[in-house]
Amino acid sequence: MTDRLEAQFAFLNEADRLKSVMRATTLVDGSRRENSGEHSWHLALYALVLADQAGPGVSIDRVIRMLLIHDLVEIDVGDVPIHSQNGQAHASAATQAAEARAADRIFGLLPGDLASDLRALWEEFEAAETPDARFAKSLDRVQPVMANLMSGGGTWASYNVTFDQLETRVGSRIARGAPALWDWVREKARPWFG
Amino acid sequence: MTDRLEAQFAFLNEADRLKSVMRATTLVDGSRRENSGEHSWHLALYALVLADQAGPGVSIDRVIRMLLIHDLVEIDVGDVPIHSQNGQAHASAATQAAEARAADRIFGLLPGDLASDLRALWEEFEAAETPDARFAKSLDRVQPVMANLMSGGGTWASYNVTFDQLETRVGSRIARGAPALWDWVREKARPWFG
C-alpha cells in the first residue's frame, strides 16, 4: 500500500510539470500563452459540454480520461504548434520515438496496473482510430481555433496561416470526429481570413 | 443547433477565465503560484490515479466531472486560501451567497439541460454529503498538502500553520473521504512541522 502510494504520488508530482509547458495558443483574453496543464483541463470541460457533438459509440468519460493524460509526454518533448513548420505533417519518426520514450518514463512512474492502463489510453489517443480517440482529437483541434477567434487571430497571425491551410491542417481533423462542430466553427473562422 | 452551440461556447470561453484565478498554493517546483484551471486538471488526474483510495459506491467518472467544474465560481468570487483567516471556518453566508450568484451567472450561460446538470453537480460537491462529493473534497484538500511538501513548506510557512491546525483544517476533511490517504500523507507532513 505504502509503496503503491509512493508510486502514485511520484507520477502526480511529476505530472505537475505539465503546468510549465507552454503552448503557442494564448488564453481567450490574449493576455498570455496557455500552458498544457490548463489546456488539458479546458479540453476535458469541452468534452463534458460538447458531448452531444460526439458520434455513436463514444464514451464521454473515456474521452475525458484520455484528454487528461493526452499531453503528458510534452513534459519531456514540449509542445509542437500545429501551424509551425514541424506541426504541419504527421509527427516525424524522431518525434514519435521521443514521445514513446517520454511515455515509458512518465507512465512508468506509476504502479504496473495503472501504468499499462494509462499508457494504452495515451496510445489510443495518438493512433486516433477509435471513436473515442477521434472525438478527443477533434476537441484538441477546435479549442485553439476558438482561442484564436476570441483573441483576434492568435497563432493564425503569427504563422501567416491561410483559410485553406486552416481547412487542411485543422478543419479536416475536427471534421473526422465532430463534423457538425467543424461546419459551425468554419463559418465563425472564415471572416477572419477576409 | 446553432443557438445551442453559441451557448455551449459562451460557457467554454467564459470558463477560460479560471486560468487567471490565482491560488495561494505554488507549483510543486515552487516557481510560481498555481491557477485554478491547472489545479482543476491536476485534481481530475488525482482522481484517475488515486481511484483505489475511494470508498465503496464512488463513481470516479462522476468525481472527475465534479472536479472539472468545482472551482468555476471562483471566476467571480476568487479563491479563498484554506489557511487564510477567511478560509478556516465554513464559508460565511456572504461568501455562499456570492458563490450561488456566480453559479447562476456562469452555469446560466449553458443550454438549459446542461446548466441544470452541471449546477446540480456543483451543489453536490459543495454540500460534501454524497460519497462522490466527499472523495472529491478529499482530493481537493490533499493536493495542496503535497504541493507544500514538495516545495518546502509553501502556504504552511506563509500562514504560520501548526501541525494541529493542519489536522483540524485539512486532515479531518481528507480523512472523511479518503482515510487511508490521510494516514499516509500525515506521516509525510509531520516532520516538516518539527
Side-chain angles (χ1 to χ4, degrees):
Chain A
M1 171 65 124
T2 288
D3 283 355
R4 185 169 171 88
L5 278 169
E6 293 284 352
Q8 285 161 311
F9 277 102
F11 172 83
L12 290 169
N13 288 331
E14 181 68 15
D16 198 79
R17 294 175 60 197
L18 195 62
K19 301 169 187 170
S20 300
V21 174
M22 300 312 290
R23 295 166 46 80
T25 311
T26 68
L27 301 191
V28 159
D29 68 8
S31 58
R32 64 166 171 83
R33 286 163 67 200
E34 178 183 54
N35 71 59
S36 292
E38 62 200 3
H39 164 74
S40 298
W41 163 72
H42 207 186
L43 281 188
L45 196 64
Y46 264 60
L48 190 54
V49 164
L50 297 170
D52 57 355
Q53 294 290 328
V58 170
S59 160
I60 290 300
D61 288 315
R62 283 194 85 243
V63 170
I64 289 173
R65 288 170 177 240
M66 212 175 262
L67 290 169
L68 291 175
I69 59 140
H70 81 292
D71 269 346
L72 282 171
V73 294
E74 293 183 358
I75 290 171
D76 289 356
V77 179
D79 179 64
V80 181
I82 297 168
H83 297 295
S84 68
Q85 205 164 8
N86 292 325
Q88 291 163 27
H90 287 285
S92 67
T95 301
Q96 285 183 327
E99 289 186 346
R101 282 194 302 274
D104 287 345
R105 183 185 75 75
I106 296 164
F107 295 119
L109 295 169
L110 285 163
D113 58 322
L114 280 167
S116 48
D117 283 0
L118 296 191
R119 173 68 185 252
L121 201 59
W122 173 74
E123 286 181 358
E124 181 180 337
F125 173 82
E126 284 294 302
E129 294 300 337
T130 65
D132 291 352
R134 285 186 191 194
F135 187 60
K137 283 269 182 190
S138 294
L139 299 179
D140 192 29
R141 295 288 172 173
V142 84
Q143 187 255 10
V145 172
M146 195 50 60
N148 281 351
L149 273 172
M150 297 295 293
S151 63
T155 59
W156 298 334
S158 28
Y159 291 109
N160 295 310
V161 177
T162 67
F163 186 69
D164 281 352
Q165 288 170 331
L166 182 71
E167 289 241 80
T168 310
R169 295 174 191 168
V170 175
S172 62
R173 303 187 198 183
I174 299 172
R176 210 165 157 238
L181 188 57
W182 174 239
D183 288 345
W184 183 82
V185 172
R186 188 209 291 118
E187 296 318 305
K188 294 274 176 197
R190 194 195 298 271
W192 187 89
F193 294 89
Chain B
M1 171 64 125
T2 290
D3 285 354
R4 187 171 170 87
L5 278 169
E6 292 285 352
Q8 286 161 310
F9 277 103
F11 172 84
L12 289 170
N13 288 331
E14 180 67 17
D16 197 78
R17 295 174 60 198
L18 195 62
K19 301 170 188 170
S20 300
V21 174
M22 301 311 289
R23 295 167 45 80
T25 311
T26 68
L27 300 191
V28 158
D29 68 8
S31 59
R32 64 167 171 82
R33 286 164 67 201
E34 179 184 52
N35 71 58
S36 292
E38 62 200 2
H39 164 73
S40 298
W41 164 72
H42 207 185
L43 281 189
L45 197 64
Y46 265 59
L48 190 53
V49 165
L50 296 170
D52 57 355
Q53 294 290 327
V58 170
S59 159
I60 289 300
D61 288 315
R62 282 193 85 244
V63 170
I64 289 173
R65 288 170 177 239
M66 211 174 263
L67 290 168
L68 292 175
I69 58 139
H70 83 292
D71 269 347
L72 283 172
V73 295
E74 293 183 359
I75 289 170
D76 289 356
V77 179
D79 178 65
V80 181
I82 298 168
H83 297 294
S84 69
Q85 207 165 6
N86 293 326
Q88 290 163 26
H90 286 285
S92 68
T95 301
Q96 284 183 328
E99 289 186 346
R101 283 194 302 276
D104 286 345
R105 184 185 75 75
I106 297 164
F107 294 120
L109 296 169
L110 285 164
D113 58 321
L114 280 168
S116 48
D117 283 359
L118 296 192
R119 172 69 184 252
L121 201 59
W122 174 74
E123 287 181 357
E124 180 180 336
F125 173 81
E126 284 294 303
E129 294 299 337
T130 64
D132 290 353
R134 285 186 190 194
F135 187 60
K137 283 272 182 189
S138 294
L139 299 179
D140 193 27
R141 295 288 172 172
V142 83
Q143 186 254 10
V145 172
M146 197 50 59
N148 282 350
L149 272 172
M150 297 296 292
S151 62
T155 60
W156 298 334
S158 27
Y159 291 108
N160 295 310
V161 178
T162 67
F163 186 68
D164 281 353
Q165 288 170 332
L166 182 71
E167 289 239 81
T168 310
R169 296 174 190 168
V170 176
S172 63
R173 303 186 198 184
I174 299 172
R176 208 162 159 242
L181 189 55
W182 173 238
D183 288 345
W184 182 81
V185 173
R186 190 209 289 119
E187 296 317 305
K188 294 274 177 197
R190 195 195 296 273
W192 187 88
F193 293 89

